[in-house]
Amino acid sequence: MVPGTAYAACPNCPPAAHGGEPINITASTVSLTVDDVAASRDFLLTHFGYTQVTAADGFASLTRDDAAVDIVLLERGIEVLPPEQRDQRASGLILAFTVTGIADHEERLRKTGAPITMPLREEPWGERLFQVTDPNGIVLQLVEWA
């Protein structure tokens, strides 16, 4: 750590390279590029309790009142993205939420028709988890630590 800061310095960089005070992050948002914004939006509203903050053609912004990350959904090909990103889709990503009462959540999601793509299991290190997958292939994982 650099004295007087809340971040670790790169061991190969001089302290001045990090530019002073750390960034004050006030919220976290993940932006996902999908083929069908409405399908992912409706899935998150229905099964995960998100609310829509704003929307436009090819765009939706979702939030919750708790510690969950905000989510922005962008339609693949939308012109607000740089050209090199427009045709990419969210893939290889697991959006994980730490919860309590995980067995109840799995049962509720199963009953409401959310596709459970990895059933509830417990790992040797004490993590209990399961996964659902939204209509655009976005994997959402719920985790509870024993």
Side-chain angles (χ1 to χ4, degrees), residues 22-86:
I23 297 170
N24 181 29
I25 297 172
T26 60
S28 295
T29 303
V30 62
S31 181
L32 304 170
T33 305
V34 297
D35 287 325
D36 186 346
V37 168
S40 285
R41 179 200 61 213
D42 293 348
F43 186 87
L44 290 161
L45 297 178
T46 300
H47 298 297
F48 283 82
Y50 274 86
T51 57
Q52 183 173 287
V53 176
T54 189
D57 189 31
F59 167 85
S61 177
L62 310 176
T63 193
R64 288 180 46 110
D65 289 334
D66 57 14
V69 65
D70 291 343
I71 299 174
V72 167
L73 299 165
L74 297 170
E75 184 176 64
R76 191 169 59 90
I78 195 165
E79 290 188 12
V80 299
L81 292 171
E84 65 275 8
Q85 295 177 14
R86 288 182 191 157

Side-chain angles (χ1 to χ4, degrees), residues 1-8 21-22:
M1 297 279 287
V2 175
T5 67
Y7 61 93
E21 293 299 314

Side-chain angles (χ1 to χ4, degrees), residues 110-128:
R110 190 179 301 280
K111 286 181 179 178
T112 60
I116 307 293
T117 50
M118 185 177 75
L120 182 62
R121 69 185 200 198
E122 185 166 335
E123 301 294 354
W125 51 86
E127 176 186 28
R128 298 181 72 209

Side-chain angles (χ1 to χ4, degrees), residues 8-22:
C10 168
N12 299 320
C13 301
H18 294 281
E21 293 299 314

